[in-house]
Amino acid sequence: MWALICYAFVLVSEGVTAWIYFEQVFKRKSKPRILLVSFLIGYFALFVISQIEDVLINLLSFFVINCVLLFLNFTCKKWIGFLQIGYLTSVMGGTEILAAVLLSLISHDFGAYRYDLPVMIAFAVLGRLLYFFAMQIGVHITKPTRSIIDGSMVLLLAILPIVSAIIVTTIVYIGMTTKIEPVTGVLMIVSVLALLLVNISVTVVYNYIQKMYNDRLELELIAQKAKMDTENYKILENQYENQRVLIHDIRGHMQVMRGLLESKNYDELENYFLDMERDPALQKIARLCDNTVLNVILVHHASICKSLGIDVDFDIRQHSVDFISAHDITAIFDNLLTNAEEAAKNTSEKYIKLSATQQGETGVLITVINSCNSAPDMDEDGNIKTKKKDKEHHGVGLKSVKQAVQRYHGVSRMYYSNEENRFHSVIHLTK
């Protein structure tokens, strides 16, 4: 009876761990209800198969059923999926062996988890804690760019299962070497189970908070891009209207030029031509780079800088940013230019220089240099502190830049030059 309960507990824990791992690494394609039902059916099948008590059959069935669950519910390339499930299976088997070895040091019997109830429960919990810990390490190796919190916090999340495993081992040791009352034993077992639940709950809450943050950031970037698209459409609309008026008046212009030509008033004719060339309707639509999304951003900020009296120099080399997604182009360039404008508008020499140059076949080097009166305040992590009053809703821009840089395994550096009174933002992204 107790053995069946332990097996069921083990499989439920493994199912939850696999679910969390898949959610963190892959993109879900099925509805939550289908996902839940498929995991319940899959791991119930594993529970039934586990009664055969054949290690090889259990491992093979674990691999096959998790492959089915992965490909059914998540978007994944076949070879990547097989590798991931292979890793999952290896870790599951390895952590069970490690748990048995650790407990054998206490009970002096490697197979004690099969017949000794306290050791059986400790084996179930300790093995799942080690399995859960190893899978969380796997997440940060497989998807290192997804974390949005400080590295020390990630380390604390990783240490929690290890500390819990030590506590479980200690509780088991006390239970086996000290005479305790039955009620105390039950409380110890409940405490051990609660530790596993706490580890899983902390990770679920962390993932939920991270998803909320990413969703909010996504909405802000969409709003930024929509605003710039609107500005660009206004420019196009104004250009079209000017050209329409010019076409309407072209006959009158031709009559005037013909009259000046017939009267041999060449100087006046030349001045008339020059005036027409300066007409906004004859100006080309702004094209500052070959990337459509980035061009919209540059046109938008060039207009802002013109109104603020800031000199701009944009040098975007051809095809240098083609490998960057539109989402990340917006995150990087719009936020960097916005910050540069905030700093440059208060200086005597108002200027912003932006360049993006291709670094061979490996990536792109993005540099923004702007005039700045003083060095910005930095926090303990080297991030720029926002000077705006609404600190809760500001300061997100640079976090967005940081995330985009991480997605391309890039590096960034921001520093202030006292000698030149200028601020530098340098980013290198790899393809």
Side-chain angles (χ1 to χ4, degrees):
M1 177 64 181
W2 284 106
L4 287 176
I5 294 175
C6 278
Y7 276 128
F9 171 79
V10 164
L11 287 170
V12 168
S13 302
E14 287 177 353
V16 172
T17 301
W19 187 338
I20 292 173
Y21 182 76
F22 293 159
E23 287 280 3
Q24 289 176 296
V25 175
F26 303 107
K27 183 179 180 181
R28 190 202 303 171
K29 65 181 179 181
S30 65
K31 295 180 179 179
R33 184 179 298 177
I34 296 175
L35 182 66
L36 177 60
V37 171
S38 63
F39 265 82
L40 287 174
I41 294 173
Y43 274 83
F44 179 76
L46 283 177
F47 175 74
V48 173
I49 295 171
S50 69
Q51 304 310 303
I52 300 174
E53 296 187 358
D54 186 299
V55 175
L56 185 59
I57 292 176
N58 287 343
L59 285 174
L60 184 61
S61 59
F62 183 89
F63 179 87
V64 172
I65 289 177
N66 275 287
C67 280
V68 173
L69 292 173
L70 175 60
F71 296 132
L72 176 65
N73 296 296
F74 298 88
T75 302
C76 176
K77 292 181 179 178
K78 291 293 186 292
W79 68 273
I80 293 178
F82 289 133
L83 285 176
Q84 290 286 355
I85 301 302
Y87 168 72
L88 205 71
T89 306
S90 302
V91 170
M92 186 273 296
T95 51
E96 285 197 353
I97 294 173
L98 180 58
V101 170
L102 290 174
L103 291 175
S104 69
L105 299 176
I106 299 174
S107 64
H108 306 291
D109 183 358
F110 181 78
Y113 66 89
R114 296 179 179 176
Y115 58 83
D116 191 313
L117 180 59
V119 178
M120 185 185 296
I121 294 172
F123 169 76
V125 174
L126 182 59
R128 294 328 100 202
L129 281 170
L130 293 173
Y131 177 56
F132 186 75
F133 168 71
M135 296 317 299
Q136 289 306 301
I137 293 297
V139 168
H140 292 290
I141 292 174
T142 307
K143 290 285 185 181
T145 61
R146 295 193 61 167
S147 177
I148 60 165
I149 62 175
D150 182 75
S152 59
M153 289 300 296
V154 174
L155 181 61
L156 287 175
L157 287 172
I159 289 175
L160 181 60
I162 297 178
V163 174
S164 300
I166 295 172
I167 294 173
V168 169
T169 307
T170 304
I171 290 175
V172 172
Y173 180 78
I174 293 172
M176 296 183 67
T177 58
T178 307
K179 186 177 181 180
I180 57 176
E181 296 296 327
V183 175
T184 306
V186 172
L187 291 175
M188 292 172 69
I189 291 173
V190 170
S191 300
V192 166
L193 296 175
L195 273 175
L196 179 60
L197 181 61
V198 166
N199 278 265
I200 294 175
S201 300
V202 167
T203 301
V204 170
V205 170
Y206 160 69
N207 290 335
Y208 179 72
I209 292 173
Q210 179 171 282
K211 184 178 183 301
M212 286 181 61
Y213 181 94
N214 285 333
D215 289 344
R216 174 188 165 189
L217 197 60
E218 182 79 20
L219 289 173
E220 290 186 359
L221 289 174
I222 290 172
Q224 285 179 341
K225 189 174 183 300
K227 181 181 178 181
M228 287 181 294
D229 285 341
T230 301
E231 294 289 335
N232 193 50
Y233 292 144
K234 286 181 179 178
I235 293 172
L236 293 175
E237 184 180 3
N238 185 57
Q239 186 80 9
Y240 172 76
E241 184 63 26
N242 288 336
Q243 289 176 347
R244 197 170 68 86
V245 171
L246 179 63
I247 292 171
H248 179 270
D249 296 340
I250 195 69
R251 180 172 296 179
H253 290 305
M254 291 179 66
Q255 288 177 348
V256 172
M257 289 186 288
R258 185 183 295 109
L260 292 174
L261 183 63
E262 289 175 352
S263 62
K264 299 182 179 181
N265 194 344
Y266 301 121
D267 291 338
E268 189 67 26
L269 179 60
E270 182 180 4
N271 291 333
Y272 196 87
F273 268 120
L274 292 174
D275 287 340
M276 285 196 65
E277 283 183 350
R278 287 191 288 267
D279 192 307
L282 293 177
Q283 303 301 311
K284 291 183 179 179
I285 296 174
R287 190 71 180 172
L288 302 176
C289 74
D290 63 332
N291 184 280
T292 304
V293 175
L294 182 53
N295 188 70
V296 170
I297 294 171
L298 297 182
V299 169
H300 170 71
H301 283 280
S303 176
I304 292 175
C305 289
K306 184 178 180 181
S307 65
L308 295 173
I310 301 173
D311 293 331
V312 294
D313 180 9
F314 297 150
D315 181 14
I316 310 298
R317 300 303 170 89
Q318 194 172 21
H319 304 304
S320 60
V321 298
D322 286 354
F323 70 97
I324 308 175
S325 70
H327 174 282
D328 292 322
I329 285 176
T330 303
I332 294 171
F333 288 93
D334 183 58
N335 285 304
L336 289 180
L337 287 171
T338 298
N339 290 339
E341 288 158 3
E342 286 292 321
K345 70 181 182 180
N346 298 318
T347 62
S348 56
E349 295 184 36
K350 301 179 181 181
Y351 65 87
I352 297 174
K353 296 180 180 180
L354 166 67
S355 66
T357 55
Q358 197 162 343
Q359 301 291 293
E361 298 297 324
T362 61
V364 62
L365 181 67
I366 301 168
T367 305
V368 178
I369 302 174
N370 59 271
S371 55
C372 187
N373 285 330
S374 60
D377 295 331
M378 312 289 281
D379 61 21
E380 59 275 9
D381 298 319
N383 298 317
I384 299 175
K385 290 183 179 179
T386 180
K387 294 183 179 180
K388 298 178 181 178
K389 293 181 180 180
D390 186 7
K391 296 183 183 298
E392 181 182 354
H393 297 94
H394 291 287
V396 178
L398 287 179
K399 292 179 183 177
S400 176
V401 172
K402 186 177 180 180
Q403 275 198 319
V405 171
Q406 289 177 334
R407 275 190 281 274
Y408 296 89
H409 307 289
V411 293
S412 63
R413 186 188 175 205
M414 297 181 181
Y415 62 95
Y416 180 74
S417 174
N418 287 302
E419 296 80 10
E420 300 169 320
N421 290 330
R422 60 171 59 172
F423 189 78
H424 300 250
S425 300
V426 182
I427 293 174
H428 183 266
L429 305 180
T430 56
K431 294 183 180 179

